[in-house]
Amino acid sequence: MMGVVRKMFLKSSLWLTTIGIALGVGAALALSRVMRAVLFGVSPMDPMTYAAVSGVLAAVMLLAT
């Protein structure tokens, strides 16, 4: 029974995290012109940065859940 509840929480959290990351990346790409003035040494369209931040957010979600 506990496994079912745990799976339900993880599935729900993963779904919400995926939506949040997708919306956040979309907003970041849309606002890349504004971010260009703030970023130093990193391109606003750097895919490795987006992947790293998304991975960290997913890891934090797993720890929090």
PDB file of all heavy atoms in Angstrom, residues 9-36:
ATOM      1  N   PHE A   9       2.527  10.008  -5.368  1.00  0.00           N
ATOM      2  CA  PHE A   9       3.159  11.283  -5.061  1.00  0.00           C
ATOM      3  C   PHE A   9       4.258  11.607  -6.066  1.00  0.00           C
ATOM      4  O   PHE A   9       4.361  12.742  -6.548  1.00  0.00           O
ATOM      5  CB  PHE A   9       3.750  11.273  -3.645  1.00  0.00           C
ATOM      6  CG  PHE A   9       2.774  11.707  -2.596  1.00  0.00           C
ATOM      7  CD1 PHE A   9       2.184  10.777  -1.766  1.00  0.00           C
ATOM      8  CD2 PHE A   9       2.457  13.040  -2.445  1.00  0.00           C
ATOM      9  CE1 PHE A   9       1.289  11.170  -0.793  1.00  0.00           C
ATOM     10  CE2 PHE A   9       1.560  13.449  -1.475  1.00  0.00           C
ATOM     11  CZ  PHE A   9       0.975  12.508  -0.650  1.00  0.00           C
ATOM     12  N   LEU A  10       5.103  10.629  -6.376  1.00  0.00           N
ATOM     13  CA  LEU A  10       6.189  10.866  -7.322  1.00  0.00           C
ATOM     14  C   LEU A  10       5.655  11.210  -8.709  1.00  0.00           C
ATOM     15  O   LEU A  10       6.176  12.101  -9.382  1.00  0.00           O
ATOM     16  CB  LEU A  10       7.115   9.651  -7.390  1.00  0.00           C
ATOM     17  CG  LEU A  10       8.070   9.493  -6.221  1.00  0.00           C
ATOM     18  CD1 LEU A  10       8.823   8.173  -6.336  1.00  0.00           C
ATOM     19  CD2 LEU A  10       9.039  10.649  -6.159  1.00  0.00           C
ATOM     20  N   LYS A  11       4.625  10.504  -9.141  1.00  0.00           N
ATOM     21  CA  LYS A  11       4.046  10.762 -10.463  1.00  0.00           C
ATOM     22  C   LYS A  11       3.468  12.172 -10.528  1.00  0.00           C
ATOM     23  O   LYS A  11       3.688  12.906 -11.496  1.00  0.00           O
ATOM     24  CB  LYS A  11       2.979   9.725 -10.772  1.00  0.00           C
ATOM     25  CG  LYS A  11       2.415   9.829 -12.156  1.00  0.00           C
ATOM     26  CD  LYS A  11       1.403   8.721 -12.414  1.00  0.00           C
ATOM     27  CE  LYS A  11       0.809   8.829 -13.799  1.00  0.00           C
ATOM     28  NZ  LYS A  11      -0.187   7.773 -14.040  1.00  0.00           N
ATOM     29  N   SER A  12       2.748  12.563  -9.498  1.00  0.00           N
ATOM     30  CA  SER A  12       2.160  13.902  -9.451  1.00  0.00           C
ATOM     31  C   SER A  12       3.245  14.971  -9.412  1.00  0.00           C
ATOM     32  O   SER A  12       3.173  15.978 -10.125  1.00  0.00           O
ATOM     33  CB  SER A  12       1.255  14.021  -8.232  1.00  0.00           C
ATOM     34  OG  SER A  12       0.756  15.320  -8.109  1.00  0.00           O
ATOM     35  N   SER A  13       4.258  14.776  -8.595  1.00  0.00           N
ATOM     36  CA  SER A  13       5.346  15.739  -8.478  1.00  0.00           C
ATOM     37  C   SER A  13       6.131  15.846  -9.777  1.00  0.00           C
ATOM     38  O   SER A  13       6.511  16.942 -10.200  1.00  0.00           O
ATOM     39  CB  SER A  13       6.291  15.354  -7.350  1.00  0.00           C
ATOM     40  OG  SER A  13       5.611  15.393  -6.128  1.00  0.00           O
ATOM     41  N   LEU A  14       6.380  14.713 -10.410  1.00  0.00           N
ATOM     42  CA  LEU A  14       7.112  14.720 -11.674  1.00  0.00           C
ATOM     43  C   LEU A  14       6.321  15.464 -12.743  1.00  0.00           C
ATOM     44  O   LEU A  14       6.887  16.230 -13.526  1.00  0.00           O
ATOM     45  CB  LEU A  14       7.417  13.293 -12.134  1.00  0.00           C
ATOM     46  CG  LEU A  14       8.206  13.161 -13.418  1.00  0.00           C
ATOM     47  CD1 LEU A  14       9.567  13.836 -13.276  1.00  0.00           C
ATOM     48  CD2 LEU A  14       8.384  11.705 -13.789  1.00  0.00           C
ATOM     49  N   TRP A  15       5.022  15.272 -12.788  1.00  0.00           N
ATOM     50  CA  TRP A  15       4.177  15.956 -13.760  1.00  0.00           C
ATOM     51  C   TRP A  15       4.237  17.472 -13.549  1.00  0.00           C
ATOM     52  O   TRP A  15       4.435  18.235 -14.495  1.00  0.00           O
ATOM     53  CB  TRP A  15       2.753  15.432 -13.656  1.00  0.00           C
ATOM     54  CG  TRP A  15       1.785  16.104 -14.568  1.00  0.00           C
ATOM     55  CD1 TRP A  15       0.721  16.861 -14.192  1.00  0.00           C
ATOM     56  CD2 TRP A  15       1.775  16.097 -15.995  1.00  0.00           C
ATOM     57  NE1 TRP A  15       0.059  17.325 -15.300  1.00  0.00           N
ATOM     58  CE2 TRP A  15       0.686  16.870 -16.421  1.00  0.00           C
ATOM     59  CE3 TRP A  15       2.588  15.513 -16.954  1.00  0.00           C
ATOM     60  CZ2 TRP A  15       0.394  17.076 -17.763  1.00  0.00           C
ATOM     61  CZ3 TRP A  15       2.293  15.723 -18.295  1.00  0.00           C
ATOM     62  CH2 TRP A  15       1.211  16.486 -18.679  1.00  0.00           C
ATOM     63  N   LEU A  16       4.080  17.912 -12.298  1.00  0.00           N
ATOM     64  CA  LEU A  16       4.125  19.346 -12.001  1.00  0.00           C
ATOM     65  C   LEU A  16       5.503  19.939 -12.276  1.00  0.00           C
ATOM     66  O   LEU A  16       5.618  21.056 -12.794  1.00  0.00           O
ATOM     67  CB  LEU A  16       3.725  19.597 -10.546  1.00  0.00           C
ATOM     68  CG  LEU A  16       2.260  19.339 -10.209  1.00  0.00           C
ATOM     69  CD1 LEU A  16       2.038  19.446  -8.706  1.00  0.00           C
ATOM     70  CD2 LEU A  16       1.361  20.291 -10.958  1.00  0.00           C
ATOM     71  N   THR A  17       6.550  19.191 -11.957  1.00  0.00           N
ATOM     72  CA  THR A  17       7.906  19.663 -12.213  1.00  0.00           C
ATOM     73  C   THR A  17       8.164  19.791 -13.705  1.00  0.00           C
ATOM     74  O   THR A  17       8.766  20.769 -14.159  1.00  0.00           O
ATOM     75  CB  THR A  17       8.935  18.711 -11.578  1.00  0.00           C
ATOM     76  OG1 THR A  17       8.678  18.635 -10.172  1.00  0.00           O
ATOM     77  CG2 THR A  17      10.350  19.196 -11.801  1.00  0.00           C
ATOM     78  N   THR A  18       7.704  18.832 -14.479  1.00  0.00           N
ATOM     79  CA  THR A  18       7.885  18.877 -15.930  1.00  0.00           C
ATOM     80  C   THR A  18       7.182  20.091 -16.527  1.00  0.00           C
ATOM     81  O   THR A  18       7.749  20.790 -17.375  1.00  0.00           O
ATOM     82  CB  THR A  18       7.351  17.580 -16.572  1.00  0.00           C
ATOM     83  OG1 THR A  18       8.045  16.464 -15.991  1.00  0.00           O
ATOM     84  CG2 THR A  18       7.551  17.583 -18.067  1.00  0.00           C
ATOM     85  N   ILE A  19       5.971  20.351 -16.082  1.00  0.00           N
ATOM     86  CA  ILE A  19       5.238  21.524 -16.570  1.00  0.00           C
ATOM     87  C   ILE A  19       5.979  22.800 -16.178  1.00  0.00           C
ATOM     88  O   ILE A  19       6.156  23.714 -16.998  1.00  0.00           O
ATOM     89  CB  ILE A  19       3.799  21.533 -16.018  1.00  0.00           C
ATOM     90  CG1 ILE A  19       2.988  20.408 -16.635  1.00  0.00           C
ATOM     91  CG2 ILE A  19       3.123  22.880 -16.278  1.00  0.00           C
ATOM     92  CD1 ILE A  19       1.635  20.206 -15.997  1.00  0.00           C
ATOM     93  N   GLY A  20       6.438  22.877 -14.942  1.00  0.00           N
ATOM     94  CA  GLY A  20       7.157  24.060 -14.471  1.00  0.00           C
ATOM     95  C   GLY A  20       8.454  24.293 -15.219  1.00  0.00           C
ATOM     96  O   GLY A  20       8.777  25.430 -15.591  1.00  0.00           O
ATOM     97  N   ILE A  21       9.216  23.233 -15.470  1.00  0.00           N
ATOM     98  CA  ILE A  21      10.468  23.367 -16.211  1.00  0.00           C
ATOM     99  C   ILE A  21      10.182  23.801 -17.647  1.00  0.00           C
ATOM    100  O   ILE A  21      10.862  24.674 -18.187  1.00  0.00           O
ATOM    101  CB  ILE A  21      11.280  22.059 -16.162  1.00  0.00           C
ATOM    102  CG1 ILE A  21      11.857  21.856 -14.752  1.00  0.00           C
ATOM    103  CG2 ILE A  21      12.398  22.071 -17.194  1.00  0.00           C
ATOM    104  CD1 ILE A  21      12.528  20.519 -14.538  1.00  0.00           C
ATOM    105  N   ALA A  22       9.168  23.212 -18.278  1.00  0.00           N
ATOM    106  CA  ALA A  22       8.833  23.580 -19.656  1.00  0.00           C
ATOM    107  C   ALA A  22       8.415  25.054 -19.739  1.00  0.00           C
ATOM    108  O   ALA A  22       8.862  25.786 -20.637  1.00  0.00           O
ATOM    109  CB  ALA A  22       7.720  22.685 -20.184  1.00  0.00           C
ATOM    110  N   LEU A  23       7.578  25.500 -18.812  1.00  0.00           N
ATOM    111  CA  LEU A  23       7.169  26.907 -18.810  1.00  0.00           C
ATOM    112  C   LEU A  23       8.353  27.833 -18.514  1.00  0.00           C
ATOM    113  O   LEU A  23       8.485  28.900 -19.127  1.00  0.00           O
ATOM    114  CB  LEU A  23       6.060  27.136 -17.785  1.00  0.00           C
ATOM    115  CG  LEU A  23       4.702  26.518 -18.115  1.00  0.00           C
ATOM    116  CD1 LEU A  23       3.741  26.708 -16.947  1.00  0.00           C
ATOM    117  CD2 LEU A  23       4.136  27.118 -19.382  1.00  0.00           C
ATOM    118  N   GLY A  24       9.205  27.418 -17.597  1.00  0.00           N
ATOM    119  CA  GLY A  24      10.375  28.230 -17.256  1.00  0.00           C
ATOM    120  C   GLY A  24      11.370  28.348 -18.396  1.00  0.00           C
ATOM    121  O   GLY A  24      11.886  29.434 -18.675  1.00  0.00           O
ATOM    122  N   VAL A  25      11.636  27.251 -19.074  1.00  0.00           N
ATOM    123  CA  VAL A  25      12.551  27.295 -20.218  1.00  0.00           C
ATOM    124  C   VAL A  25      11.942  28.129 -21.339  1.00  0.00           C
ATOM    125  O   VAL A  25      12.630  28.928 -21.972  1.00  0.00           O
ATOM    126  CB  VAL A  25      12.897  25.869 -20.704  1.00  0.00           C
ATOM    127  CG1 VAL A  25      13.602  25.906 -22.047  1.00  0.00           C
ATOM    128  CG2 VAL A  25      13.772  25.161 -19.682  1.00  0.00           C
ATOM    129  N   GLY A  26      10.651  27.965 -21.561  1.00  0.00           N
ATOM    130  CA  GLY A  26       9.987  28.778 -22.586  1.00  0.00           C
ATOM    131  C   GLY A  26      10.067  30.265 -22.271  1.00  0.00           C
ATOM    132  O   GLY A  26      10.353  31.080 -23.152  1.00  0.00           O
ATOM    133  N   ALA A  27       9.822  30.629 -21.021  1.00  0.00           N
ATOM    134  CA  ALA A  27       9.912  32.035 -20.619  1.00  0.00           C
ATOM    135  C   ALA A  27      11.342  32.543 -20.726  1.00  0.00           C
ATOM    136  O   ALA A  27      11.575  33.679 -21.164  1.00  0.00           O
ATOM    137  CB  ALA A  27       9.400  32.212 -19.197  1.00  0.00           C
ATOM    138  N   ALA A  28      12.313  31.716 -20.356  1.00  0.00           N
ATOM    139  CA  ALA A  28      13.712  32.126 -20.439  1.00  0.00           C
ATOM    140  C   ALA A  28      14.125  32.350 -21.894  1.00  0.00           C
ATOM    141  O   ALA A  28      14.843  33.307 -22.201  1.00  0.00           O
ATOM    142  CB  ALA A  28      14.612  31.073 -19.793  1.00  0.00           C
ATOM    143  N   LEU A  29      13.680  31.479 -22.780  1.00  0.00           N
ATOM    144  CA  LEU A  29      13.998  31.667 -24.193  1.00  0.00           C
ATOM    145  C   LEU A  29      13.315  32.921 -24.743  1.00  0.00           C
ATOM    146  O   LEU A  29      13.901  33.655 -25.538  1.00  0.00           O
ATOM    147  CB  LEU A  29      13.575  30.435 -24.996  1.00  0.00           C
ATOM    148  CG  LEU A  29      14.411  29.186 -24.772  1.00  0.00           C
ATOM    149  CD1 LEU A  29      13.790  27.993 -25.481  1.00  0.00           C
ATOM    150  CD2 LEU A  29      15.841  29.395 -25.233  1.00  0.00           C
ATOM    151  N   ALA A  30      12.092  33.171 -24.310  1.00  0.00           N
ATOM    152  CA  ALA A  30      11.373  34.353 -24.776  1.00  0.00           C
ATOM    153  C   ALA A  30      12.017  35.642 -24.251  1.00  0.00           C
ATOM    154  O   ALA A  30      11.983  36.671 -24.935  1.00  0.00           O
ATOM    155  CB  ALA A  30       9.913  34.288 -24.340  1.00  0.00           C
ATOM    156  N   LEU A  31      12.600  35.580 -23.067  1.00  0.00           N
ATOM    157  CA  LEU A  31      13.208  36.761 -22.463  1.00  0.00           C
ATOM    158  C   LEU A  31      14.727  36.813 -22.648  1.00  0.00           C
ATOM    159  O   LEU A  31      15.424  37.512 -21.912  1.00  0.00           O
ATOM    160  CB  LEU A  31      12.869  36.818 -20.975  1.00  0.00           C
ATOM    161  CG  LEU A  31      11.387  36.982 -20.654  1.00  0.00           C
ATOM    162  CD1 LEU A  31      11.147  36.809 -19.163  1.00  0.00           C
ATOM    163  CD2 LEU A  31      10.891  38.335 -21.118  1.00  0.00           C
ATOM    164  N   SER A  32      15.245  36.074 -23.617  1.00  0.00           N
ATOM    165  CA  SER A  32      16.698  35.980 -23.792  1.00  0.00           C
ATOM    166  C   SER A  32      17.336  37.327 -24.110  1.00  0.00           C
ATOM    167  O   SER A  32      18.478  37.572 -23.745  1.00  0.00           O
ATOM    168  CB  SER A  32      17.052  34.966 -24.874  1.00  0.00           C
ATOM    169  OG  SER A  32      16.542  35.372 -26.125  1.00  0.00           O
ATOM    170  N   ARG A  33      16.613  38.228 -24.768  1.00  0.00           N
ATOM    171  CA  ARG A  33      17.171  39.553 -25.058  1.00  0.00           C
ATOM    172  C   ARG A  33      17.402  40.340 -23.775  1.00  0.00           C
ATOM    173  O   ARG A  33      18.396  41.034 -23.632  1.00  0.00           O
ATOM    174  CB  ARG A  33      16.240  40.329 -25.978  1.00  0.00           C
ATOM    175  CG  ARG A  33      16.221  39.794 -27.377  1.00  0.00           C
ATOM    176  CD  ARG A  33      15.370  40.654 -28.268  1.00  0.00           C
ATOM    177  NE  ARG A  33      15.291  40.064 -29.596  1.00  0.00           N
ATOM    178  CZ  ARG A  33      14.422  40.415 -30.493  1.00  0.00           C
ATOM    179  NH1 ARG A  33      13.523  41.340 -30.218  1.00  0.00           N
ATOM    180  NH2 ARG A  33      14.420  39.839 -31.681  1.00  0.00           N
ATOM    181  N   VAL A  34      16.478  40.226 -22.834  1.00  0.00           N
ATOM    182  CA  VAL A  34      16.641  40.918 -21.552  1.00  0.00           C
ATOM    183  C   VAL A  34      17.790  40.291 -20.772  1.00  0.00           C
ATOM    184  O   VAL A  34      18.596  40.995 -20.157  1.00  0.00           O
ATOM    185  CB  VAL A  34      15.329  40.849 -20.735  1.00  0.00           C
ATOM    186  CG1 VAL A  34      15.514  41.433 -19.351  1.00  0.00           C
ATOM    187  CG2 VAL A  34      14.210  41.550 -21.485  1.00  0.00           C
ATOM    188  N   MET A  35      17.883  38.974 -20.786  1.00  0.00           N
ATOM    189  CA  MET A  35      18.926  38.280 -20.026  1.00  0.00           C
ATOM    190  C   MET A  35      20.319  38.532 -20.595  1.00  0.00           C
ATOM    191  O   MET A  35      21.303  38.450 -19.874  1.00  0.00           O
ATOM    192  CB  MET A  35      18.656  36.775 -20.004  1.00  0.00           C
ATOM    193  CG  MET A  35      17.470  36.404 -19.196  1.00  0.00           C
ATOM    194  SD  MET A  35      17.303  34.634 -18.891  1.00  0.00           S
ATOM    195  CE  MET A  35      17.727  33.886 -20.424  1.00  0.00           C
ATOM    196  N   ARG A  36      20.410  38.832 -21.882  1.00  0.00           N
ATOM    197  CA  ARG A  36      21.711  39.044 -22.514  1.00  0.00           C
ATOM    198  C   ARG A  36      22.496  40.148 -21.792  1.00  0.00           C
ATOM    199  O   ARG A  36      23.713  40.057 -21.658  1.00  0.00           O
ATOM    200  CB  ARG A  36      21.513  39.405 -23.978  1.00  0.00           C
ATOM    201  CG  ARG A  36      22.759  39.417 -24.789  1.00  0.00           C
ATOM    202  CD  ARG A  36      22.414  39.609 -26.240  1.00  0.00           C
ATOM    203  NE  ARG A  36      21.427  38.594 -26.627  1.00  0.00           N
ATOM    204  CZ  ARG A  36      21.603  37.721 -27.592  1.00  0.00           C
ATOM    205  NH1 ARG A  36      22.690  37.743 -28.300  1.00  0.00           N
ATOM    206  NH2 ARG A  36      20.680  36.822 -27.874  1.00  0.00           N
TER     207      ARG A  36
END
